[in-house]
């Protein structure tokens, strides 16, 4: 509180600094123990708890992607595929649509090349 003795004030300040240092060390040890916990065990536990639900969702997604793949094979216009691509929300859907666009463009290039070869042979 109010001490006139300078030596006593120094001792009090050094004791306060030592207590703060010890508290910081304890906090750092606590953080280190939390930070380096085995993530595998907690991840495995999460998967174990959520496995039936995640498995069902994965199967539904695979079925939806298979249906989309069949639908994409029936489309023969790059413009239609581009519209679908812009409307698609999921990464996997966009991936399939982009692959279908690449396939159609490759077929168009091949057809143009064949037509060019026929023209040049005449």
């Amino acid at each position: 509180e109010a001490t006139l003795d300078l030596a006593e004030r120094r001792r009090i300040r050094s004791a306060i600094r030592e207590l703060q240092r010890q508290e910081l060390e304890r906090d750092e040890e606590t953080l280190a123990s939390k930070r380096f916990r085995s993530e595998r065990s907690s991840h495995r536990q999460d998967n174990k708890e959520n496995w039936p639900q995640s498995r069902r969702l994965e199967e539904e997604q695979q079925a939806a992607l298979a249906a989309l793949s069949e639908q994409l094979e029936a489309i023969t216009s790059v413009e239609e595929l581009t519209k679908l691509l812009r409307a698609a929300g999921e990464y996997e859907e966009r991936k399939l649509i982009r692959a279908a666009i690449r396939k159609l463009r490759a077929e168009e290039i091949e057809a143009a090349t064949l037509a060019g070869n026929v023209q040049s042979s005449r």
Side-chain angles (χ1 to χ4, degrees):
E1 296 277 328
T3 303
L4 297 177
D5 185 16
L6 293 179
E8 187 178 353
R9 284 184 178 182
R10 278 190 221 114
R11 284 194 304 271
I12 292 171
R13 279 193 221 116
S14 67
I16 290 172
R17 281 192 295 270
E18 179 63 24
L19 287 172
Q20 289 172 338
R21 186 188 63 75
Q22 289 174 358
E23 185 178 358
L24 280 173
E25 286 177 356
R26 280 194 305 271
D27 290 346
E28 288 174 355
E29 288 173 4
T30 303
L31 280 175
S33 70
K34 288 181 180 178
R35 186 178 305 137
F36 297 114
R37 273 188 203 155
S38 172
E39 292 181 14
R40 283 188 191 151
S41 63
S42 65
H43 182 66
R44 249 187 270 138
Q45 185 65 26
D46 288 344
N47 285 345
K48 187 177 181 182
E49 292 171 356
N50 298 323
W51 188 79
Q53 180 182 2
S54 66
R55 181 73 176 183
R56 182 178 46 80
L57 289 174
E58 184 179 325
E59 289 172 355
E60 288 175 2
Q61 184 181 23
Q62 291 299 326
L65 289 175
L68 177 65
S69 180
E70 290 176 12
Q71 179 186 0
L72 293 176
E73 288 181 16
I75 298 175
T76 58
S77 169
V78 174
E79 290 79 25
E80 288 181 47
L81 289 173
T82 305
K83 287 178 187 175
L84 280 175
L85 180 63
R86 289 186 180 132
E90 295 292 321
Y91 170 76
E92 292 295 327
E93 290 175 359
R94 293 191 310 267
K95 185 176 169 183
L96 282 174
I97 296 168
R98 284 192 300 268
I101 291 172
R102 282 192 298 271
K103 181 181 173 186
L104 271 180
R105 287 187 178 151
E107 289 172 359
E108 289 174 358
I109 291 171
E110 184 179 331
T113 304
L114 288 175
N117 288 341
V118 169
Q119 289 286 353
S120 64
S121 67
R122 286 185 180 176

